[in-house]
Amino acid sequence: MHSTTNPPPLPGARPLLDPAAEYKRWITERPLDRITLWGDLHPWLVTRNEDARAVLSDPRFSSENVRPGFPGLQPTTPPRTPGQLFAMDPPEHTRLRRMLIPEFTFRRVEQLRPAIRRVAGELLDRFVEKGQPADLVEHFTLPLPLLTICELLGVPYSDRDFIHQQASAFATVSAGPEAMRAGWAALFGYLQELLAAKSRAPEDDLMSRLATERVATGEATPAEAAGLAVQLLIAGHETTASMLSLGAVALLRHPDQLTALRADPALVPGAVEELLRYLTVVHIGLRRIATEDVEIGGVTIRAGEGVVIALQAANRDPAVFADPDALDFTRDAGPHLAFGHGLHHCLGQSLARAELQIALPMVFHRLPGLRLAAPAPEEFAFEGRAVHGTRELSVAW
C-alpha cells in the first residue's frame, strides 16, 4: 500500500488503444489504494472488475458531486443544474431516468437502425467523393453519432456544428472549469429554447415527447427536461465517435480479427462487445463518495472518502479475462464495464451498440482497401478529455 501522504497521481495520458501502463501493475500490486487527484484530495482507486462492480452497485456510494470531498474532475465544485443524472442519487435519479427509459428500449432502437444505415451510407458516399487521403473522424466517425442523437432528440440538422462545439468544450477537462461550465450552459440554454418550440409545435422526437408528456403534465420542469437532453447529447455522441475511430484503428492493427469479421458477419455483435472492453474510451474513471463506512476488497472505505473506478483497468482484469491485452472476437466479453454498472449504467447503450454494429462493418465493406494514410504510433492520443479518442484519422483506400 502507498502512503496517503504521497500517493501517485491518476494517469493523464494513455496510449492510443491501451490503458495507461500503470494500471497493469496496479491491478495486481495495489488493486485498491490511494491516488492523488488535485491538492490534498486522495481518493481510493478501484482497478479490479469485482471491486468495481461492488462499488457501482452499492447504494452507500453516492454520485452527488456537490458532496464535500467528492473526487470530481476539477478542484472547484461544479454548479448543480437540473437533469444531471450522472450526479444524482435515488429517488431523484430514479424519477428522471424513468422518463427516458421508453426512448431507449430495444424495440425503439431497432426502429432506428434503418435511419442509422441511411445516414452512415450517405456520409460514406460523401467521404469517398472527397477523394483520398481524407479524415475519417471529421467526415464519418464524428458526424454519424452526432446526427443520430440529434435526429433522436429532434435537433435541427443546421445546428449540429454548434452542438458539437459546445459538447466538446464541456468534455475537455484541461480547458478548465469555466470553459466546461460555459459549454454545458450553452447547450442547456439552447435546449430550453428547443423544448419551448417543441411544446408549441410537437413532432415525432424525444424533445417533443418530453415537452408534451413530461413537462406539460408536471412530471418534470422545463429545466429538468433540458438538462436530461444535454446529458444525452454529450454522452450520445462523444463516446460513440471515439469508439468508431479507435475501433477502425484496432481492426487495422489486428488484421487477423478483421479477416475473421469479414468472413463471418455473425461475429459482429461479439466483436463490438470485445472492442468496447478492449478500448474503454471513458478513461477518467467513474467517481463516487462513500456515505458510510464500506468494506470493498478487504479495505474499509470510510464515510466521506472518494472513490475513482478505473473502468479501463477493470476491463483488462486478468481474473476475469484470459489474456486481457489481446483483442479476441471469439471471447465472451460479457462481463465488461464499458457502459458502467448498477443504477447509473449507460441508458443509451443499445443505441451505441447499434451504431457500432452498423457503422464499423459498413466502413470496411465499402472501403475494403482502407489503411492509415500516415503512421499512427500514438500521435493521435490526447489527454485532458473525459473521453479518450483521436482528433483526426487520415486514411486512404
Side-chain angles (χ1 to χ4, degrees), residues 72-90:
L73 303 180
Q74 301 284 350
T76 54
T77 302
R80 180 70 177 269
T81 57
Q84 287 181 294
L85 287 177
F86 65 87
M88 291 180 180
D89 293 336

Side-chain angles (χ1 to χ4, degrees), residues 14-76:
R14 60 180 278 186
L16 189 61
L17 301 183
D18 295 300
E22 293 93 327
Y23 289 116
K24 192 169 185 177
R25 184 178 75 255
W26 290 350
I27 200 167
T28 54
E29 295 179 5
R30 48 180 298 256
L32 208 158
D33 207 348
R34 301 276 193 175
I35 55 168
T36 297
L37 275 190
W38 28 260
D40 59 353
L41 189 67
H42 304 298
W44 295 93
L45 179 71
V46 172
T47 55
R48 282 190 302 220
N49 191 288
E50 180 183 358
D51 295 342
R53 289 174 179 276
V55 171
L56 293 173
S57 60
D58 195 319
R60 293 173 293 179
F61 288 100
S62 171
S63 298
E64 293 184 341
N65 57 7
V66 293
R67 289 177 181 264
F70 189 89
L73 303 180
Q74 301 284 350
T76 54

Side-chain angles (χ1 to χ4, degrees), residues 69-374:
F70 189 89
L73 303 180
Q74 301 284 350
T76 54
T77 302
R80 180 70 177 269
T81 57
Q84 287 181 294
L85 287 177
F86 65 87
M88 291 180 180
D89 293 336
E92 189 180 17
H93 171 269
T94 309
R95 176 179 68 87
L96 291 175
R97 184 181 171 103
R98 190 180 292 132
M99 297 179 189
L100 295 177
I101 289 174
E103 302 293 339
F104 294 97
T105 61
F106 179 79
R107 182 182 177 188
R108 181 65 60 86
V109 171
E110 287 300 296
Q111 292 172 345
L112 284 171
R113 281 182 179 261
I116 297 170
R117 287 193 188 93
R118 186 193 74 247
V119 173
E122 292 170 353
L123 287 171
L124 281 175
D125 288 342
R126 291 197 289 271
F127 180 71
V128 172
E129 288 171 7
K130 288 181 180 297
Q132 50 188 313
D135 185 355
L136 193 68
V137 172
E138 179 183 355
H139 300 297
F140 185 74
T141 65
L142 186 61
L144 176 61
L146 180 60
L147 291 172
T148 301
I149 196 66
C150 284
E151 183 163 329
L152 180 72
L153 287 168
V155 172
Y157 185 86
S158 57
D159 293 339
R160 70 195 186 285
D161 289 339
F162 168 80
I163 295 294
H164 169 62
Q165 289 165 6
Q166 303 308 322
S168 181
F170 175 75
T172 305
V173 180
S174 59
E178 292 305 318
M180 294 179 73
R181 283 195 198 99
W184 182 279
L187 289 174
F188 186 66
Y190 170 85
L191 287 162
Q192 280 185 305
E193 293 179 4
L194 183 63
L195 187 75
K198 297 289 186 179
S199 67
R200 294 188 296 268
E203 300 175 281
D204 183 17
D205 54 55
L206 192 153
M207 290 297 287
S208 294
R209 286 187 286 275
L210 283 176
T212 59
E213 298 174 14
R214 307 300 182 180
V215 175
T217 61
E219 287 185 61
T221 66
E224 286 173 335
L228 289 172
V230 173
Q231 187 167 335
L232 290 175
L233 261 179
I234 292 172
H237 92 272
E238 193 85 11
T239 50
T240 306
S242 291
M243 274 299 307
L244 286 168
S245 53
L246 294 185
V249 176
L251 287 167
L252 290 173
R253 289 192 177 178
H254 296 81
D256 57 328
Q257 298 299 301
L258 177 56
T259 298
L261 196 62
R262 281 175 160 152
D264 185 4
L267 285 178
V268 169
V272 165
E273 297 307 309
E274 173 67 347
L275 285 167
L276 286 162
R277 178 201 72 84
Y278 182 76
L279 295 169
T280 313
V281 296
V282 179
H283 73 121
I284 53 166
L286 301 181
R287 314 297 177 97
R288 300 289 188 268
I289 188 167
T291 58
E292 56 185 270
D293 293 359
V294 188
E295 183 175 315
I296 298 291
V299 175
T300 299
I301 298 174
R302 302 291 179 189
E305 293 182 340
V307 178
V308 177
I309 302 100
L311 298 179
Q312 65 271 58
N315 280 343
R316 299 280 186 107
D317 187 344
V320 178
F321 305 100
D323 196 8
D325 296 324
L327 183 68
D328 180 3
F329 292 162
T330 64
R331 84 161 79 238
D332 177 9
H336 76 72
L337 295 171
F339 291 117
H341 183 65
L343 286 175
H344 288 269
H345 71 276
C346 177
L347 191 63
Q349 58 184 282
S350 293
L351 180 61
R353 285 186 169 102
E355 292 178 76
L356 293 168
Q357 290 169 7
I358 290 167
L360 278 175
M362 185 180 288
V363 167
F364 285 95
H365 175 73
R366 290 283 303 275
L367 308 172
L370 189 72
R371 63 190 185 280
L372 295 177

Side-chain angles (χ1 to χ4, degrees), residues 2-21:
H2 287 277
S3 165
T4 57
T5 58
N6 192 31
L10 190 68
R14 60 180 278 186
L16 189 61
L17 301 183
D18 295 300

